[in-house]
Amino acid sequence: MKTNYKIQGTPNSPVLMFSNSLGADLTMWDDLVPHLLPYFRVLQYDTRGHGQSELTDGPYTIEMLGKDVIDLLDQLKIDKVYFCGLSMGGMIGQYLGIHHPNRLHKLIISNTDAKIGTAEGWKDRIKTINEQGMQAIVDGTMEKWFTKAFHSTHPYRIAEMREIFLANRIVGYTACCAALGAADFREDIKKISVETLIITGDEDEVTNVEQAKALQKEIAGAQLKVFNARHLPSTELPAYYAETLIDFIVGEDGFDRGMHVRRTVLGSAHVDRANGNKNEFNTDFQEFISQYAWGEIWTRPGLSKHTRSLITLSMLVPLNKKAEFKMHVRAAFNNGVTIAEIKEVILQSGIYCGLPAANDAMHSAEEVFEELGLEYKE
C-alpha cells in the first residue's frame, strides 16, 4: 500500500503524527504545523483511499488502516511517535493504543468514540453516496464539521474544506465508511495504557461531550479537553488546538518547554552535562537560559529552527566566542543545517563582520567537523 505523507521539522525532534478524519486529507492539519515545529517533527499522512494515498478495493477495516500506520513508521524508520487522530483517525489511534502501545509515546484521540454511529447508519450513507455522489452529503457535512460562527467568519476555509470533501473518491470514502460501521472498541478501550488526551467539541453532534467523558472513564488516567467547536476543532481553532497538544506532550510551564527545545537543538548529552554542572552560583543563569532563550524565543513559530541556527551562527562569528560558536555548529546539524550552509554563513559574515573573525570561525567549524567525523564535499 502506497501511503502519501509529508514530514517537516528538524531531525533531532520527536515525531508528532496526525491522522485525518473521514472525508478530509492531510492538509486539515496544516494550520497547526507552524506552532508545532519548534517542538516536533510533524508527520501528516493521507488515510488509505483518501487524498493522494493509494486507492484499494474495499471494504476496509480499522485494523487495516492501523497497520498502514505501522507500515509507514517502519518505512520511515521511526520507532515511536506521539499520535493524534481525529474522528476516523481517533479510531485508528484507539487501535494503535490497544494493539501497538510500544509505538506510541502518548496518544491524542479527538472527536471520536469507541463506536461511532450504527452499522445501519453507515450502510445508508454508503448507499446514498453510491447513488448520488459526494455532493449529496457535502452541505450536511460542513454543518457538522464547523460552527455557524466559523461559517460566517471563515467562508474561504469552509470553501477549501468543501472542495477537499468533494474530491474524495467514492470507493475510498465508502470503504472507510464500512470500516467505521464495523469498528467497535467498547470492550477493548480499557486496554489502552499509554498516556492519553481526549479532545471534543461542545457543539459536536457526531461524537459529543458525553461520549468523550465515557471514553475518559474507560482509559486509565486519560485527560479531557472540551473546545468551543463542532467536529473539526483542529481546523476551527488551530492555534488553541496546537497549544493544547504542546501542553499535553511537553508541558505548560515555559521552563519545561524550553528544556524540551534545548534538548532537541543542543542534544540531551550537552544539556545533561550543563545540568550536572549546576551549583549555587550558576543555577539561576542555567534556568534563565532555559526559560527565556529556549522557552520564549526558540519556541516562536515565526522562524524555523533551521533558520534560527543560521542566524545564530552568523551573529556569533563577529562576537568571536569560540566555545559558543562551536556548540552552535554542532547544534546546527540537529536542526538540519548542512556543512555547505555553514560555509556560506561564514563567507557572508566575512564580508560584513570582518575577515579575521570569519577566519577564526572557519577554523572552529573545521574542528567540529573533524570531531564529528564529517567531510565537506561539493
Side-chain angles (χ1 to χ4, degrees):
M1 221 293 289
K2 185 177 179 181
T3 299
N4 180 54
Y5 70 90
K6 175 169 61 175
I7 187 163
Q8 304 171 74
T10 53
N12 206 39
S13 299
V15 177
L16 173 55
M17 186 176 191
F18 287 102
S19 182
N20 59 274
S21 69
L22 177 69
D25 63 13
L26 58 77
T27 64
M28 67 173 279
W29 306 104
D30 282 355
D31 292 341
L32 280 70
V33 174
H35 303 279
L36 298 170
L37 286 180
Y39 302 92
F40 311 106
R41 292 177 78 195
V42 176
L43 173 57
Q44 302 157 257
Y45 80 100
D46 287 328
T47 303
R48 182 188 292 244
H50 283 65
Q52 300 304 309
S53 282
E54 185 177 347
L55 177 64
T56 61
D57 292 336
Y60 305 158
T61 65
I62 294 298
E63 179 182 11
M64 179 188 298
L65 304 181
K67 287 181 176 178
D68 287 343
V69 171
I70 299 301
D71 289 344
L72 179 59
L73 295 181
D74 289 344
Q75 174 191 332
L76 298 175
K77 294 180 171 56
I78 298 172
D79 182 42
K80 299 181 77 167
V81 297
Y82 297 97
F83 186 90
C84 177
L86 188 147
S87 192
M88 176 176 65
M91 294 210 81
I92 294 170
Q94 291 171 60
Y95 169 83
L96 296 173
I98 294 165
H99 297 283
H100 297 278
N102 60 310
R103 305 304 294 269
L104 305 177
H105 293 297
K106 294 184 180 182
L107 174 64
I108 302 98
I109 51 176
S110 182
N111 303 80
T112 193
D113 197 4
K115 181 168 180 58
I116 300 177
T118 65
E120 197 60 38
W122 288 109
K123 287 178 182 177
D124 289 343
R125 185 184 298 199
I126 291 169
K127 184 174 184 293
T128 298
I129 293 167
N130 281 331
E131 292 176 353
Q132 303 176 44
M134 300 300 296
Q135 186 71 41
I137 65 169
V138 64
D139 291 336
T141 299
M142 293 303 108
E143 288 180 11
K144 290 175 181 176
W145 278 5
F146 305 111
T147 61
K148 291 181 179 179
F150 192 73
H151 275 267
S152 298
T153 57
H154 293 77
Y156 64 93
R157 191 66 173 119
I158 300 294
E160 289 175 352
M161 296 302 292
R162 182 186 179 91
E163 288 305 308
I164 290 169
F165 186 82
L166 289 173
N168 272 283
R169 296 161 291 181
I170 289 176
V171 171
Y173 184 90
T174 55
C176 285
C177 287
L180 289 168
D184 188 346
F185 292 127
R186 286 176 293 185
E187 292 298 318
D188 292 330
I189 194 72
K190 61 178 68 70
K191 295 178 182 177
I192 294 179
S193 58
V194 66
E195 190 174 350
T196 301
L197 171 66
I198 301 161
I199 295 174
T200 193
D202 60 2
E203 294 188 32
D204 189 351
E205 298 177 358
V206 181
T207 54
N208 59 39
V209 175
E210 290 306 312
Q211 290 168 301
K213 288 180 177 178
L215 283 178
Q216 185 185 22
K217 290 180 180 178
E218 292 295 318
I219 303 172
Q223 300 177 37
L224 173 63
K225 186 77 172 181
V226 180
F227 282 61
N228 180 210
R230 288 189 180 170
H231 198 53
L232 261 64
S234 56
T235 304
E236 190 157 350
L237 300 166
Y240 185 48
Y241 198 99
E243 189 73 10
T244 299
L245 299 184
I246 297 165
D247 286 348
F248 174 64
I249 296 171
V250 180
E252 300 181 25
D253 185 75
F255 177 81
D256 292 337
R257 294 183 175 200
M259 286 296 291
H260 174 94
V261 175
R262 191 178 179 186
R263 287 182 182 279
T264 67
V265 175
L266 300 180
S268 289
H270 175 90
V271 176
D272 288 341
R273 282 196 301 272
N275 286 335
N277 292 329
K278 286 199 299 187
N279 54 45
E280 290 186 10
F281 178 71
N282 66 30
T283 292
D284 289 344
F285 180 71
Q286 287 292 329
E287 293 184 354
F288 171 80
I289 293 171
S290 293
Q291 178 81 32
Y292 294 101
W294 298 105
E296 294 194 10
I297 300 302
W298 277 83
T299 57
R300 293 174 62 84
L303 294 172
S304 70
K305 286 195 287 188
H306 180 278
T307 300
R308 290 187 188 278
S309 267
L310 296 177
I311 292 171
T312 301
L313 289 174
S314 69
M315 291 189 290
L316 285 171
V317 170
L319 290 175
N320 204 22
K321 303 296 181 184
K322 184 173 182 176
E324 191 79 5
F325 179 80
K326 290 177 71 174
M327 179 186 77
H328 277 280
V329 170
R330 296 186 194 95
F333 295 116
N334 290 332
N335 284 339
V337 175
T338 65
I339 292 178
E341 289 173 320
I342 293 172
K343 182 180 81 169
E344 294 303 323
V345 165
I346 296 173
L347 288 170
Q348 188 80 6
S349 299
I351 297 298
Y352 291 94
C353 302
L355 293 176
N359 185 53
D360 282 350
M362 188 67 74
H363 289 305
S364 294
E366 288 180 321
E367 290 174 10
V368 174
F369 302 159
E370 186 175 351
E371 291 170 12
L372 298 177
L374 301 175
E375 184 178 350
Y376 174 71
K377 296 179 180 179
E378 291 285 0

